[in-house]
Amino acid sequence: MADIDIERKRGGSWMWVLGLVLLALVIWLLWGLFDGDDEAAVVEPVAAPVVDEVQPLPPAANPPTPVAQAAGIPVSQIIESPATWTGRTVGGEVRVTEVVSDRGFWIEDQGERLFVLINESGPETPDVNQGQTLRIREAVVYGAQNLANIPGTLEPQARQIAQGQPVVLATDGRNIEILTRPTN
């Protein structure tokens, strides 16, 4: 057999010493960051300005206009001032008082009636019947002068009724949810 001399290399222990020194340095830095012995900042109280009287704000140039929420669509307000509501999106719960076609029906609020068109640009039309309560998520108010701007095609009978109205609502099937059905 051959004799092979094996010698240990010296100098590997200095790496351990360097690692321990770095670890101690990191601990010391972290300890300094989280030490609670920092001097507290001195905050001096500031005197509040004295106000003799409160001045009301001037009226806004363009005050926000109310939009109907889930409580109900403000049919009477829309009918009273169609120009104010034309082009706005409304939504809420309504009661169907009369159905004239698959894509047109009347809703009523406080004795005022408003015609609702369901355009054919959306998915299938829900089966709307007289006496139902509906939730209309989004419907656009159209004045008689801009009925041609309603997207999709309109059923001839529904279009004829809409043309005789100063203002109508237009929506599509996906924005109508039937809440209650009439009892027979």
Side-chain angles (χ1 to χ4, degrees):
M1 285 212 153
D3 263 343
I4 300 175
D5 289 333
I6 299 175
E7 292 183 23
R8 275 193 167 170
K9 287 190 171 184
R10 298 274 179 201
S13 63
W14 67 273
M15 292 293 281
W16 285 99
V17 172
L18 181 62
L20 288 174
V21 169
L22 285 174
L23 181 63
L25 180 63
V26 168
I27 291 172
W28 179 70
L29 287 174
L30 289 175
W31 187 272
L33 287 175
F34 296 110
D35 188 17
D37 291 340
D38 293 340
E39 292 183 23
V42 177
V43 179
E44 295 182 21
V46 177
V50 177
V51 178
D52 290 337
E53 64 181 69
V54 176
Q55 297 293 327
L57 293 174
N62 294 323
T65 52
V67 175
Q69 297 300 317
I73 294 176
V75 173
S76 58
Q77 292 177 18
I78 293 171
I79 290 181
E80 287 174 12
S81 58
T84 303
W85 289 88
T86 297
R88 295 187 48 201
T89 301
V90 295
E93 293 180 10
V94 296
R95 189 174 60 81
V96 178
T97 57
E98 182 182 352
V99 177
V100 296
S101 70
D102 288 342
R103 297 196 173 262
F105 58 92
W106 292 94
I107 60 173
E108 186 175 310
D109 178 44
Q110 298 176 5
E112 298 285 344
R113 288 178 11 135
L114 184 61
F115 193 64
V116 179
L117 292 165
I118 303 173
N119 63 38
E120 294 180 11
S121 66
E124 70 180 60
T125 305
D127 186 23
V128 176
N129 293 305
Q130 182 175 343
Q132 288 178 328
T133 301
L134 308 177
R135 177 176 294 126
I136 300 177
R137 285 183 281 283
E138 291 183 10
V140 178
V141 180
Y142 286 90
Q145 71 280 4
N146 63 357
L147 287 177
N149 297 337
I150 296 175
T153 56
L154 298 177
E155 185 179 59
Q157 183 181 9
R159 179 180 293 282
Q160 182 180 8
I161 293 171
Q163 288 173 339
Q165 302 304 311
V167 66
V168 298
L169 295 181
T171 189
D172 58 39
R174 71 174 169 252
N175 285 316
I176 297 176
E177 177 185 354
I178 298 172
L179 299 177
T180 62
R181 301 196 181 275
T183 56
N184 290 332

